[in-house]
Amino acid sequence: MIVAKFGGTSVADAAAINRVVDVIVNKQASGPVVVVSALGGATNVLLDLAHKAAAGELLAALQMVEQLRDRHLREVHALLGSAPEADELALEISASFDELAHLAEAFRTLGYLTPRSLDTVAALGELLSSQIVAAAFRHRGYPAVWIDARDVMKTNDFFTRAEPDVDAIALASQEHLLPLLQQGKIPVLGGFVGSAPGRVTTTLGRGGSDYSASLIGAAIDATAIEIWTDVDGMLTADPRVIPGAQLIERISFDEAAELAAFGAKVLHPATIAPAVQRGIPVFVFNSRKPDGKGTMIAFDAPRLPVRAIAGKRSTTLVKLRSSRMLLAPGFLRRVFEVFETHRTSVDVVTTSEVSVSVTLDDATNLGAILQDLAAFGDVAVERRSGIVAIVGAGIADGSRAIADALIALGPIPVYMASLSATGINFTLVIDDEQVVPAMQRLHAAFFEHAS
Ligand SMILES: Nc1ncnc2c1ncn2[C@@H]1O[C@H](COP(=O)(O)OP(=O)(O)O)[C@@H](O)[C@H]1O
Ligand SMILES: N[C@@H](CC(=O)OP(=O)(O)O)C(=O)O
């Protein structure tokens, strides 16, 4: 059994969805489970329209509902033509958009959105795309069965970033997926979407379809988890920043997890953990080039000082300075409790005898965090920070990589530097607007040598 996940660009329209069918039918013998994202860009439109409605712009929101309805119906007709299933599916899809229009009206009346209502709206993208993809398979004569992801992806009720209930997912997969696979059927379900007790719709957070795929892969003990996307695999940097980024044919789980956590959007940061637990290799392939080599992510990979560069912008740097930190056991624990209390995870950490600095990805609860930290000492915040990460299992093996990285940055000021305990990630906090130039300089230094 394998799990193959297709991202938004890989199911953006009828032509892309037909490529998905082509990829999967060649793998029928491996027992594929197909996980799909929403049609490319649909999640953004859904969330935008909800926000517009709540802000009182109902007309604009309803126009967005109609555009999205037209887009989905257009692709259904392009895929299924005048087959009987086309009309049935079109009716179902239209009914969902009628409901969405009613929801938009309710948001306008209320004037606010809750995380729970946002999840209900966002989930529609995957719930519809997966039904369309399943129908496309059947139209071409393959035995696909649509599965409502809410029957399988069991989560808690932390809306907009729900956490999976791994045991419940394993049980639900046995009930809903395994029998179909045993009958030679192809289960198709939406990624990103789940349900909390009471079958209330949740989502795993933006980009979460990769995570759905690896959770399902672990639940059914798949032999491979395949992430099909719009690039040739994991590359030495984001190709949108570094057009000459090179394909990584093999990379370790640890390295891939670090890259994902520090900005390599090709993988959701949580994707690796379920795969590691079960020792399932993860592959990244380009759905436009199904014969490409792709990337294999597994336990071992040739040990290199630098495998790839990642970067992320718009992080927040919080610096705490306190003389009470001197020789005070438990001080750091109390400081980190503040972040835990406000459900905010910390990215990069450095400490000295009298100070501790951390970066935060999510500054939603910053106000409350700062208030609590003020009890410990002087707090300073730098909101326009960025991070570059130089990742390689051998970075601390006595190579010159760390020195070379600092030299390559030249005049770019560095505010924090941290070498991970595993010695595979050297992270630098810099100004937000320096992230792109820093990535270019680092990539040039490590990957663009004249031969
Ligand atoms: N190191 C990297 N290797 C490959 N792609 C990367 C990397 N870092 C960032 N990306 C970006 O990730 C994108 C794919 O992720 P995403 O847009 O979420 O795709 P999908 O819709 O298929 O899930 C690529 O188009 C690329 O710009
Ligand atoms: N559609 C969701 C989930 C997702 O993973 O999408 P994609 O695979 O296109 O990144 C989002 O946009 O967040």
Side-chain angles (χ1 to χ4, degrees):
M1 290 175 294
I2 64 167
V3 177
K5 175 262 175 175
F6 294 84
T9 45
S10 303
V11 293
D13 55 26
I17 292 172
N18 271 319
R19 283 195 293 273
V20 171
V21 178
D22 294 336
V23 165
I24 292 301
V25 297
N26 284 320
K27 295 174 181 281
Q28 243 182 314
S30 326
V33 175
V34 179
V35 174
V36 296
S37 298
L39 306 194
T43 313
N44 284 346
V45 177
L46 287 164
L47 292 172
D48 283 356
L49 78 86
H51 284 290
K52 281 214 158 63
E57 297 173 51
L58 183 62
L59 203 62
L62 292 177
Q63 274 166 357
M64 290 163 87
V65 174
E66 292 318 313
Q67 278 162 10
L68 214 48
R69 183 200 308 260
D70 290 348
R71 179 176 174 199
H72 282 77
L73 295 179
R74 192 172 58 237
E75 302 313 333
V76 167
H77 288 299
L79 282 162
L80 309 184
S82 54
E85 198 178 356
D87 289 340
E88 229 171 86
L89 184 57
L91 275 176
E92 267 180 52
I93 289 177
S94 233
S96 298
F97 282 105
D98 291 345
E99 230 171 84
L100 181 63
H102 287 131
L103 270 177
E105 280 163 20
F107 296 152
R108 195 270 314 263
T109 308
L110 285 170
Y112 64 85
L113 295 164
T114 59
R116 177 172 171 162
S117 59
L118 281 172
D119 272 356
T120 300
V121 171
L124 190 61
E126 271 73 7
L127 292 173
L128 297 182
S129 67
S130 52
Q131 292 186 62
I132 296 174
V133 171
F137 272 99
R138 288 192 294 268
H139 185 64
R140 289 188 40 193
Y142 301 105
V145 177
W146 178 68
I147 299 287
D148 187 325
R150 292 169 294 193
D151 291 332
V152 174
M153 191 52 54
K154 300 295 174 186
T155 69
N156 64 12
D157 64 357
F158 295 171
F159 296 105
T160 73
R161 46 179 172 173
E163 293 166 356
D165 178 338
V166 173
D167 294 335
I169 294 168
L171 275 178
S173 299
Q174 271 163 27
E175 186 186 340
H176 295 284
L177 300 179
L178 293 184
L180 293 176
L181 289 164
Q182 277 150 10
Q183 295 161 33
K185 306 232 163 98
I186 306 171
V188 178
L189 67 163
F192 178 57
V193 177
S195 70
R199 212 170 177 279
V200 183
T201 304
T202 57
T203 70
L204 299 176
R206 296 305 308 270
S209 294
D210 299 335
Y211 192 25
S212 300
S214 71
L215 287 163
I216 292 167
I220 63 169
D221 214 1
T223 51
I225 295 160
E226 299 182 351
I227 305 295
W228 289 82
T229 183
D230 61 348
V231 287
D232 290 350
M234 284 199 95
L235 307 177
T236 49
D238 184 343
R240 279 177 296 202
V241 179
I242 314 280
Q246 299 149 22
L247 177 68
I248 301 168
E249 288 185 25
R250 193 160 174 143
I251 181 169
S252 71
F253 282 128
D254 289 349
E255 290 171 322
E258 293 289 338
L259 287 170
F262 286 95
K265 186 172 171 271
V266 64
L267 275 189
H268 183 280
T271 311
I272 298 298
V276 170
Q277 258 163 18
R278 293 292 187 122
I280 306 170
V282 178
F283 295 85
V284 182
F285 292 121
N286 188 340
S287 62
R288 284 182 175 273
K289 295 187 206 163
D291 297 326
K293 286 187 186 146
T295 298
M296 179 178 186
I297 309 171
F299 280 115
D300 43 49
R303 199 175 172 92
L304 292 180
V306 180
R307 177 87 58 200
I309 310 291
K312 62 180 172 188
R313 303 189 56 174
S314 305
T315 57
T316 300
L317 173 59
V318 178
K319 296 185 272 190
L320 169 68
R321 192 188 155 81
S322 169
S323 51
R324 274 176 285 153
M325 209 175 144
L326 267 173
L327 302 173
F331 183 88
L332 280 180
R333 180 184 55 73
R334 291 195 295 279
V335 168
F336 282 104
E337 256 170 20
V338 171
F339 296 99
E340 189 187 348
T341 305
H342 298 291
R343 299 192 54 78
T344 298
S345 62
V346 161
D347 254 353
V348 188
V349 182
T350 60
T351 62
S352 77
E353 200 52 37
V354 291
S355 69
V356 52
S357 303
V358 303
T359 65
L360 312 176
D361 251 359
D362 177 4
T364 316
N365 300 328
L366 186 64
I369 291 171
L370 295 182
Q371 223 169 13
D372 289 0
L373 286 182
F376 295 96
D378 298 331
V379 188
V381 176
E382 187 46 69
R383 281 172 176 276
R384 292 191 47 77
S385 294
I387 298 177
V388 283
I390 302 124
V391 173
I395 198 168
D397 282 355
S399 73
R400 282 188 44 86
I402 289 177
D404 289 343
L406 292 171
I407 291 166
L409 286 182
I412 295 177
V414 173
Y415 303 110
M416 267 170 81
S418 159
L419 179 65
S420 68
T422 46
I424 70 166
N425 186 358
F426 184 49
T427 328
L428 299 162
V429 177
I430 57 181
D431 287 320
D432 179 75
E433 65 272 19
Q434 296 288 2
V435 170
V436 169
M439 285 180 70
Q440 287 163 341
R441 282 168 168 270
L442 291 165
H443 197 270
F446 290 113
F447 299 104
E448 299 165 28
H449 323 280
S451 49

